[in-house]
Amino acid sequence: MLKSQATIRATDAQQIIDAAIAQAAANGLRSLTMRDLAQSVEKSTTVVVNLFGTKSGLIQAVGEKALQLDSDFHARFFQSVAGLDLNRDTLLTLVQNYLRSRTSDEAGFARVWEALLLESDSSSMRLDLMRRWDVMRKKAWSDHLAANPRLRSYADPLIAWATIEHFYAGALQGRTEYEIIAAEGLGGLIDHAFGLPERPATATFWYRQNLTLPQAPAEGLEADSIQRKLLDIAADQILAGGVTAITNRSVSAVAGTSTSTIAYHWPDMRRFVLDAVWHSVFRDMPRYLAGHHLDGDAETADLDSWTRLMAPTVSIRPKIEGFYVRYARLIASICLEARRDPSLRDLAMLLRGPEGGGTYYNRAGVWPADFDLTRLAATRFALWVKGLALTSAATGIPVSEADLIKGADQLVARLAR
């Protein structure tokens, strides 16, 4: 009898976990409720609670299952190309297929990781789960890349790059300009890994030349104006809970105004949301990325000064999260919503298209002169640092100054002296 009850519990738990992964794949983990889940598997909410305790316990169980499925995915993925020569073209296709496979509808377990990367749960169990997932990915890629001596050290930067590009790919895959720009950037990363000459950034420059960048929404507004107050509140809510976190009511309640105030200052709620998104980007952007001249002589920029500028941008300390942590989370949340709301894909493309632009165009006085920060090098560094920051926040493992320097050395060539 005891064995039978244990078997029933295990069967029920597996059924519920499978249903939760399916629901997360369709609508995200945030939409998951114990009641809806119980109804979907025709069980009572009491059964779900007895098995998992709280929603956090359920999500932890879902994460453990997703880790098993993802480990199996990596094993199958690399087994399918075992023994294949790792040259420039095969690695390019391999990485493209990796992203395509993980953003497909069949990879429901990958949707779980997308959500967990953005979850605010910092319990020891959740941090441990995210660390094990990160280690699994890096080991799988390290083992495969070890076949080519030039690539043995590239698993870490490749995984960080793929972490943020994954979100873009999920929202923009099939969009021609994205496919072209993404392939060009990935090609640059792989060329650099193989020590090959860098190719021209033709598509990246083309996209940038034809792009109209938005102005900072708060530009020209008084610091104490009601418009600025509303934008600040909305930006805080977006950075904390994603683009869907803000509503007319949620912003008005904090501002202490009526729900008609936003309508008075903006033509519609959608325009306000878009302005709030860009405000959340521009408001806390480091001065050097925004094009402001730094104090001091640009000729004196060295690795120490660069590291001092970069370190705060990847900080994961409570209440003072770095710019890249917040920005990567914002990008990821917009891309997730763009999958469900096609009208947001233009915004996702606008964010992806000029990736690395601030790094490239404002490099003087920031990057040491002996770094050859080409346009494609700036793109891969920008994607890498965002993916690194997002993973750091999810695992609770801080990015050290040594990590930043190593990443710069791996992604940006040094000029011969």
Side-chain angles (χ1 to χ4, degrees), residues 27 44 50 81 106 111 161 165 193 200 214 223 226 259 276 293 319 350 353 358 360 364 388 399 404 415:
N27 302 304
S44 69
N50 287 340
V81 290
E106 290 74 31
R111 307 291 81 74
W161 169 92
E165 191 72 270
I226 185 60
T259 54
H293 294 294
K319 298 184 179 179
L350 194 59
Y360 176 72
L388 185 72
V399 178
L404 290 169
L415 296 170

Side-chain angles (χ1 to χ4, degrees), residues 36-331:
D36 290 345
L37 185 59
Q39 290 178 349
S40 71
V41 295
E42 298 181 342
K43 304 288 183 185
S44 69
T45 306
T46 302
V47 170
V48 181
V49 172
N50 287 340
L51 286 168
F52 303 104
T54 62
K55 182 178 178 179
S56 179
L58 170 64
I59 291 176
Q60 184 70 24
V62 167
E64 294 291 349
K65 179 63 176 181
L67 180 57
Q68 176 191 328
L69 293 171
D70 209 358
S71 297
D72 293 343
F73 165 86
H74 280 83
R76 290 193 307 272
F77 181 80
F78 288 115
Q79 182 57 41
S80 70
V81 290
L84 178 66
D85 179 49
L86 273 177
N87 57 43
R88 192 259 186 196
D89 292 336
T90 57
L91 183 55
L92 177 66
T93 303
L94 186 69
V95 177
Q96 289 175 321
N97 188 257
Y98 179 79
L99 287 176
R100 192 175 298 114
S101 298
R102 296 181 67 76
T103 54
S104 70
D105 292 339
E106 290 74 31
F109 59 87
R111 307 291 81 74
V112 174
W113 300 117
E114 292 167 357
L116 291 179
L117 279 167
L118 304 183
E119 281 284 316
S120 58
D121 188 339
S122 59
S123 66
S124 59
M125 289 183 64
R126 184 62 54 79
L127 294 176
D128 175 70
L129 173 66
M130 298 306 295
R131 290 171 187 175
R132 285 185 282 128
W133 174 65
D134 193 43
V135 168
M136 180 276 296
R137 295 187 301 161
K138 289 176 180 176
K139 184 178 186 308
W141 274 99
S142 293
D143 290 348
H144 189 73
L145 296 179
N148 188 310
R150 279 189 172 273
L151 304 175
R152 285 176 182 164
S153 64
Y154 266 81
D156 284 12
L158 181 60
I159 282 294
W161 169 92
T163 296
I164 195 68
E165 191 72 270
H166 172 104
F167 286 97
Y168 283 127
L172 300 169
Q173 210 162 69
R175 187 161 173 155
T176 304
E177 69 270 44
Y178 167 72
E179 298 281 2
I180 292 172
I181 292 171
E184 182 176 80
L186 175 58
L189 171 63
I190 292 173
D191 284 338
H192 184 69
F194 276 104
L196 299 172
E198 187 154 291
R199 306 180 187 196
T202 306
T204 303
F205 280 125
W206 162 80
Y207 186 85
R208 176 62 183 87
Q209 288 164 1
N210 290 277
L211 175 68
T212 301
L213 288 170
Q215 296 295 312
E219 189 173 329
L221 295 179
E222 295 293 333
D224 59 351
S225 68
I226 185 60
Q227 298 103 306
R228 176 60 185 263
K229 182 178 181 180
L230 292 169
L231 286 172
D232 280 334
I233 292 168
D236 288 340
Q237 292 181 356
I238 288 173
L239 291 171
V243 70
T244 58
I246 63 169
T247 64
N248 191 330
R249 188 174 299 278
S250 72
V251 175
S252 301
V254 176
T257 62
S258 72
T259 54
S260 62
T261 306
I262 290 175
Y264 180 80
H265 293 286
W266 279 269
D268 52 50
M269 189 63 188
R270 179 167 184 77
R271 181 66 210 181
F272 173 70
V273 171
L274 291 175
D275 278 357
V277 167
W278 283 111
H279 183 57
S280 66
V281 174
F282 285 106
R283 181 182 62 174
D284 300 325
M285 183 178 288
R287 295 181 71 249
Y288 69 88
L289 285 179
H292 295 290
H293 294 294
L294 297 170
D295 296 332
D297 185 356
E299 297 299 320
T300 65
D302 58 21
L303 203 52
D304 286 339
S305 63
W306 176 86
T307 304
R308 286 195 299 272
L309 278 174
M310 285 299 305
T313 68
V314 292
S315 169
I316 58 171
R317 288 181 291 172
K319 298 184 179 179
I320 51 172
E321 282 185 331
F323 169 75
Y324 281 122
V325 179
R326 299 189 303 274
Y327 191 21
R329 194 179 290 130
L330 171 67
I331 288 169

